[in-house]
Structure formats: structure tokens, C-alpha cells
Amino acid sequence: MSFKIEIGAVNSGAGSSENSYQLVIAGGGPAALSAAIYAARYGIKHLVVESWQPGGQAALTAEIENYPGFSSVAGSDLTNAMKQQATAAGAVFVMETVESAEEKNGKILIKTDLGQYTSDYLIIATGAAPATLGVPGEEKYYGRGVSFCATCDAPFFKGKKAIVVGGGDSAVKEALHLTHVVSELGLVHRRDKLRAEPYLAKKLVEHEKVTTWWNSHLVEVTGDDQGVTGVILDTPEGRKHIETNGVFLYVGTVPATEPFKSLVDLDGKKAVVTRNIVGTSNPRVFAAGDVTNNGFRQVVTAVSEGARASAAIFELLENEE
Ligand code: NAP
């Protein structure tokens, strides 16, 4: 084997003359951090370009109870530990936002808000952002009662009323987190059955502070100068105005693939279409975690995919020389 390991990757940053890598990892959540740990340990000359939200969506989860080895861990503690582990292994990070990625002269050219990098390989691990409902008041009152993160914003609603919209794992977990602080919690779901893990779903629905609004749709967020005052729901009993101070939206996610759309095939939901779990339609590009169409979106699968992607690239680099 004559694999050329370029030890001592440096944080070259924007404007540096040395902006060329064997691997760029785009993202900062569990998939990217796991890929970074493996890339660093394999001695691949790499750069992790993480955006404004270190730790990704997992870092915004109050409690993770299904990551093996921890019966309960705060999402931010888990992702901070992953980052420390990656840094200790020699992973190199820049906090920049990837704006575009394209193929140029047999390499991948990655442009960020602060600079540009060329790389032999790219791992897309940019995760997904919360989906919105697109109803009146949602955008207007964002940050003034409308939130996509109970873990971050729950303290503002101590002793107040809140509602959560959605029926997946995120809605149920974050709603349970809110029950510790709010006086009353409404759960609004468009069907009469939650898709979340049954153990947590039961715990939420049976909680004394929780009122459920089944087969119901949030059609407007109302408010005044101070922020949110209520919501209008379409329910099986007709249209209702419910008083609330907080509206937490967990109606799914949108994969963060915009910068990569010319590089790899995306499905109808904008997720990266994978082959053999971490491969993509482009042989120089791999993908891992919530940005993919792999389906089962868990921290444990994201870290596994990140590791697989770096391992696959290590093997390719090894065979290139
Ligand atoms: P999700 O599973 O896609 O759930 C989204 C929820 O929003 C669904 O209940 C859906 O209703 C509802 N919804 C979608 N569009 C809507 C609309 N326009 N109006 C009203 N309701 C709408 O999303 P998620 O809960 O964010 O989870 C994303 C992934 O991460 C999932 O794979 C989940 O398992 C995983 N996750 C795992 C954990 C964990 O700790 N294990 C925690 C968080 C997330 P329907 O049910 O009718 O489709």
C-alpha cells in the first residue's frame, strides 16, 4: 500500500494559500462529528466545516434516552463530548456556512461564507432544519412565542401556557420537557395517533397538564405587541381560538441540501439519495445522518453513517495511490 497520509491538517481558513484537503466534512452534528473522529484517526487530511449550530439538532434535544451507554443524557452534553473527542483525535474545525459545492478539475470546490476549499472527497452531514407550517403569525411571532426549540426556550414559559404541534418523536420529547415548566400544555396533532415512540407518547398523553387536540390543524398564530396570545385551530368540532403564550412547532424537518443540489441526486423531500448507506450519485461525495433518505433518523444511526463514510473514503484514498 502506498497511501499518502497527509498528517498535520491545519486550520487554514479563508484566504490561506493551503486550502486543499483530501476530505471536507460539511456539518456539525453527530454524523459529522463521528466522521471527523474517524477521519482524524485514519490520518486523512480533512476539514470539518460546521455552521452556526454546533452539535446539530441533537444538541437541541433536552434528553436522549436511547443512545447506547447512557440511560439519559442531555443532547448538548453528548454532542459536546463527541466534539471534544474529535478535537483530541486531531479533527480540524472551522465555523463557516457552506454556500455551494461543485465539481471542478476532478475535485470538489466548496465555497463558504468566509472562504473556499478544494477537496478530493466530501461528506455531506449537514442534517435538517425544522419545517414550518406557513400559516399567518408563524413567522411574525417567531422568537416572541413561536419556537422550534423547547430545550432552548422552555425557561421563558415558566408557569405559562404553551402548545406543541406535531406527533413525532421531536414533538413528544420536547412536549414532555415543557411539562416540567408550563402550567398547561396543549398537544395539537393532525391525526388521532402519534407516530412517536409509544412509551413516551403514552407518558405525554396521560400527563395531567396535557390537553390533546386530535385531528386538528393550527391555522393561525395570534398575538399583540408583547408576542403570542393564542392560536386558531381547525378541530373536528369547528374552529376554535385557544389562549396560549407559546407555540412550539415540530412538524418534521427539511434536509439542509441546498448547497449540494447540483452535486448529488436528491429525492422529492430534498434528502440526499444514498447507495450502500453512505454513497451518493457522485463517487466523490458521501452523505451521513438526517440529510440522507436513509429513513431511521437517530443519533445512533447518524454516528454509524459518519463512521462508515470516513472509512469508505479512507479505503478509496488508500487504493488511489
Ligand atoms: P417526524 O417524525 O417527521 O414527525 C413530524 C410530525 O409532524 C408528524 O407527526 C407529522 O404528522 C406532523 N406534521 C408534518 N407535517 C405537518 C403539517 N403540515 N401540519 C401538521 N402536522 C404535520 O419528525 P420529527 O419528530 O422531527 O423526527 C424526525 C426524525 O428524527 C424521526 O425519524 C424521529 O424518529 C427522529 N427523532 C428521534 C428522536 C429520538 O430520541 N429517538 C428524537 C427526535 C427525533 P403525521 O404523523 O400525521 O405524519
Side-chain angles (χ1 to χ4, degrees), residues 33-105:
L33 294 171
S34 171
I37 291 168
Y38 278 77
R41 291 175 63 94
Y42 281 131
I44 299 171
K45 186 186 178 191
H46 70 280
L47 182 71
V48 188
V49 183
E50 61 174 352
S51 191
W52 58 273
Q53 195 183 300
Q57 294 220 112
L60 305 178
T61 304
E63 248 182 294
I64 295 176
E65 295 178 345
N66 54 6
Y67 189 76
F70 300 88
S71 37
S72 176
V73 59
S76 55
D77 288 347
L78 185 61
T79 56
N80 284 341
M82 288 178 190
K83 182 152 186 195
Q84 277 169 20
Q85 189 180 0
T87 306
V92 183
F93 292 83
V94 287
M95 197 168 273
E96 297 176 19
T97 302
V98 175
E99 291 183 339
S100 69
E102 62 185 279
E103 275 198 282
K104 201 166 183 187
N105 304 328

Side-chain angles (χ1 to χ4, degrees), residues 7-315:
I7 303 263
V10 288
N11 181 349
S12 52
S16 160
S17 58
E18 180 47 274
N19 279 350
S20 180
Y21 295 88
Q22 290 175 312
L23 168 63
V24 164
I25 299 166
L33 294 171
S34 171
I37 291 168
Y38 278 77
R41 291 175 63 94
Y42 281 131
I44 299 171
K45 186 186 178 191
H46 70 280
L47 182 71
V48 188
V49 183
E50 61 174 352
S51 191
W52 58 273
Q53 195 183 300
Q57 294 220 112
L60 305 178
T61 304
E63 248 182 294
I64 295 176
E65 295 178 345
N66 54 6
Y67 189 76
F70 300 88
S71 37
S72 176
V73 59
S76 55
D77 288 347
L78 185 61
T79 56
N80 284 341
M82 288 178 190
K83 182 152 186 195
Q84 277 169 20
Q85 189 180 0
T87 306
V92 183
F93 292 83
V94 287
M95 197 168 273
E96 297 176 19
T97 302
V98 175
E99 291 183 339
S100 69
E102 62 185 279
E103 275 198 282
K104 201 166 183 187
N105 304 328
K107 304 248 181 197
I108 310 288
L109 173 66
I110 297 120
K111 291 185 179 165
T112 72
D113 52 342
L114 296 177
Q116 63 179 45
Y117 307 96
T118 57
S119 185
D120 296 325
Y121 292 95
L122 169 69
I123 297 177
I124 304 173
T126 41
T132 56
L133 286 173
V135 298
E138 180 185 38
E139 197 179 338
K140 181 175 178 185
Y141 294 109
Y142 173 64
R144 293 192 295 142
V146 173
S147 169
F148 298 93
C149 183
T151 306
C152 326
D153 297 334
F156 297 117
F157 298 91
K158 196 165 190 296
K160 296 183 177 175
K161 295 179 184 175
I163 65 144
V164 168
V165 184
D169 282 319
S170 301
V172 168
K173 289 190 101 173
E174 299 300 288
L176 278 168
H177 181 64
L178 282 167
T179 59
H180 297 299
V181 293
V182 299
S183 59
E184 289 173 38
L185 186 71
L187 177 70
V188 180
H189 186 37
R190 65 182 178 181
R191 293 186 293 136
D192 63 355
K193 192 174 187 312
L194 299 172
R195 68 164 66 232
E197 199 184 309
Y199 169 77
L200 292 178
K202 185 169 184 289
K203 200 167 152 185
L204 180 69
V205 171
E206 292 176 355
H207 196 285
E208 58 184 8
K209 287 186 185 173
V210 173
T211 304
T212 48
W213 297 91
W214 301 117
N215 300 309
S216 298
H217 296 262
L218 187 155
V219 291
E220 186 174 345
V221 179
T222 59
D224 60 19
D225 293 351
Q226 306 298 309
V228 169
T229 55
V231 289
I232 297 174
L233 301 182
D234 257 350
T235 78
E237 290 79 40
R239 206 158 258 217
K240 293 194 187 298
H241 186 263
I242 313 290
E243 279 183 21
T244 189
N245 310 103
V247 181
F248 290 85
L249 300 169
Y250 292 101
V251 292
T253 54
V254 182
T257 48
E258 188 62 26
F260 313 106
K261 63 185 182 197
S262 67
L263 209 52
V264 291
D265 288 349
L266 306 180
D267 70 8
K269 292 179 176 170
K270 297 188 179 172
V272 178
V273 177
T274 56
R275 301 168 180 190
N276 290 329
I277 305 174
V278 293
T280 71
S281 55
N282 187 319
R284 295 210 165 266
V285 183
F286 290 72
D290 286 4
V291 78
T292 71
N293 69 341
N294 287 344
F296 193 47
R297 292 179 176 167
Q298 307 287 312
V299 177
V300 74
T301 50
V303 297
S304 147
E305 291 166 21
R308 274 173 180 268
S310 281
I313 290 163
F314 177 65
E315 206 177 312

